[in-house]
Amino acid sequence: ACIIPGDMGIHPSTCRTKKEIEEGQQAKKKDENRAAQRRESSVQRNRAGITCTHPPHSAMIGFARSRRAAKPAALEELSLKGVARYILSGRCRRVGVLTGAGVSCAAGIPDFRSPGGMYDTLRPELLTATEEQRRMMQLDPTAVVSTHIFRDNQYPYLEVRRPFILGLADHTWKASAAHFFFQLLHSHGKLHTLFTQNIDGLDFQTDVPLDKIVSVHGTMGTAHCEACGAAMEMGEFQRLVRENIKDIYGQDASAPAASSPVPCGQCGKAQMKPSTVLYGSSLPRSFFTAMERADELDLLLVAGTSLTVSPANSVPHAVGEECVRVVVNREKVGEDLGLNYESADVFLGGECDAIIVELCAELGWLEELASLAPRMCDASAQLVQQRFQQSTSDC
């Protein structure tokens, strides 16, 4: 018999069997037990005088890197169909998402770490920097967005990021199908936490509640002073960047020939920048708070990330043993961290949008995704509409 649950803690958008309702109740009981264990652990830490510390960006969180031997029992098979069936089941009540630059590629925002990305094409000789700083960036391109260089020289960061800063002001980029899939997870009562390593702010174009979004590396949507912490109105900051920072890409004929400081309006120091986390700086407290609740997840979807930046790459190891882990990416990642695609974890290879659209089709959510196409970037909207038309013609 088909049962539609009332107050079982399961979203009533799809029809459930009695077995699935019972599975949902069992999952709820397991959540309550885990919460009780966490509370007891917290009491023990307090008695021992241990406090929670927040490690710097470059530190690794001490989660075990053990390799799972077998898939969680609740997952029928290591495939897209298996993932879809699990999401629709009563056992999958809390979904976590960890995203990287790959989910924003359809929007035209470059993947910094891939061939042709910012780090791969960085030309330090074009930047306003000392010879020592240029050598550092030549050896390690990520130094251009590091605390070590920025505290002495704000120009390399602002010159490299200039098109991005001004593009956000001009609304050049729109969210992808993947971003709106996360919104659907929320509307179906499944989304628990969205960890985003991206600084582009596209997650905030969706209807995912702000309290569910954890911007691990900060955001380009606001600006503040690294010296005193004072905020600057974003429009004013973008105006100063447009007028004071040279264009190393040769795209803006109105840009100045040489860069001049973008000072803080409060302390006067040339330390203003978007509110992103520099390499070598501490991550937001919200990240570590969310990590403490990662063991509540029933499924973790890792999308469009190389899993090379710590401590964000520790998220897959903060989940419980029975949490289903799914990686959507162009190539397999995280195997050196313990992910096992042979028998325990799911790898769905390809472009994030393409995989997500097929997952929505398998879930029966394609029509909902298509209704959001007008809010997507052009590439995503076209992909979703074509797939939806195909599905309707097949019926």
Side-chain angles (χ1 to χ4, degrees):
C2 196
I3 301 173
I4 298 179
D7 58 351
M8 295 290 189
I10 305 170
H11 198 276
S13 60
T14 55
C15 196
R16 306 295 190 206
T17 65
K18 182 178 180 180
K19 179 181 178 182
E20 288 173 334
I21 298 301
E22 291 173 349
E23 289 174 348
Q25 291 175 314
Q26 291 170 1
K28 187 174 182 180
K29 182 65 176 178
K30 184 189 292 185
D31 291 338
E32 291 171 351
N33 291 339
R34 283 189 303 214
Q37 290 170 358
R38 249 194 336 272
R39 286 193 297 270
E40 177 62 23
S41 177
S42 178
V43 169
Q44 295 299 330
R45 286 198 303 271
N46 290 336
R47 287 174 180 169
I50 300 172
T51 58
C52 181
T53 59
H54 300 279
H57 184 194
S58 57
M60 296 293 289
I61 293 180
F63 291 108
R65 292 301 193 266
S66 59
R67 179 181 169 93
R68 289 181 181 175
K71 65 178 178 61
L75 184 66
E76 295 177 10
E77 58 183 72
L78 301 176
S79 67
L80 186 144
K81 288 182 180 292
V83 172
R85 285 196 291 267
Y86 179 62
I87 291 174
L88 293 174
S89 76
R91 294 188 181 186
C92 184
R93 301 172 58 247
R94 295 188 176 112
V95 177
V97 179
L98 171 64
T99 66
V103 299
S104 296
C105 285
I109 296 175
D111 180 343
F112 295 152
R113 291 174 181 83
S114 293
M118 185 185 80
Y119 297 144
D120 185 51
T121 60
L122 184 69
R123 296 179 59 188
E125 71 275 10
L126 299 179
L127 302 174
T128 306
T130 65
E131 286 304 315
E132 180 184 356
Q133 290 169 345
R134 290 191 179 115
R135 280 195 298 272
M136 289 174 59
M137 290 182 279
Q138 193 70 52
L139 292 171
D140 179 9
T142 65
V144 73
V145 290
S146 69
T147 300
H148 184 74
I149 286 182
F150 188 85
R151 66 188 178 194
D152 296 324
N153 181 5
Q154 73 174 167
Y155 296 144
Y157 178 102
L158 294 181
E159 289 170 358
V160 164
R161 297 284 201 210
R162 187 181 192 273
F164 200 2
I165 294 168
L166 300 184
L168 289 174
D170 299 333
H171 303 286
T172 301
W173 298 289
K174 296 173 69 176
S176 69
H179 291 102
F180 283 100
F181 171 67
F182 309 146
Q183 175 178 317
L184 292 184
L185 285 172
H186 166 66
S187 65
H188 282 267
K190 300 284 187 177
L191 185 65
H192 182 275
T193 307
L194 169 55
F195 295 94
T196 176
Q197 298 176 83
N198 299 333
I199 60 175
D200 53 41
L202 296 185
D203 299 281
F204 299 97
Q205 293 183 10
T206 72
D207 297 331
V208 174
L210 297 182
D211 62 355
K212 292 191 175 184
I213 301 175
V214 179
S215 297
V216 182
H217 299 151
T219 176
M220 296 284 288
T222 59
H224 77 281
C225 176
E226 284 289 308
C228 71
M232 178 179 285
E233 193 275 321
M234 198 60 187
E236 173 64 9
F237 173 68
Q238 289 164 332
R239 181 188 68 79
L240 289 173
V241 169
R242 191 184 300 275
E243 295 177 357
N244 295 11
I245 301 300
K246 72 177 184 180
D247 172 24
I248 65 170
Y249 303 98
Q251 300 172 343
D252 185 0
S254 67
S259 295
S260 57
V262 176
C264 172
Q266 184 162 310
C267 71
K269 295 181 180 178
Q271 289 286 283
M272 285 302 304
K273 57 176 278 296
S275 301
T276 58
V277 178
L278 296 169
Y279 277 94
S281 298
S282 296
L283 266 66
R285 183 176 295 270
S286 59
F287 169 72
F288 299 98
T289 300
M291 285 286 278
E292 292 173 357
R293 298 187 59 198
D295 65 345
E296 298 176 2
L297 300 177
D298 301 306
L299 182 146
L300 175 67
L301 176 66
V302 179
T305 172
S306 61
L307 288 179
T308 58
V309 179
S310 63
N313 63 358
S314 293
V315 174
H317 301 280
V319 301
E321 282 297 313
E322 290 302 309
C323 177
V324 173
R325 300 186 298 195
V326 181
V327 174
V328 177
N329 204 52
R330 291 172 181 167
E331 60 279 323
K332 292 180 179 179
V333 295
E335 291 176 291
D336 58 327
L337 301 175
L339 291 176
N340 175 11
Y341 301 120
E342 295 178 2
S343 59
D345 302 303
V346 182
F347 174 68
L348 304 177
E351 298 292 339
C352 286
D353 263 15
I355 299 298
I356 290 300
V357 169
E358 290 307 312
L359 180 57
C360 280
E362 198 65 36
L363 288 165
W365 297 357
L366 198 54
E367 184 174 0
E368 293 175 82
L369 189 66
S371 71
L372 298 168
R375 297 170 58 184
M376 299 177 191
C377 60
D378 291 343
S380 293
Q382 183 178 1
L383 175 66
V384 171
Q385 289 167 343
Q386 288 178 344
R387 184 63 180 86
F388 179 60
Q389 289 170 3
Q390 177 187 338
S391 69
T392 54
S393 64
D394 291 341
C395 293

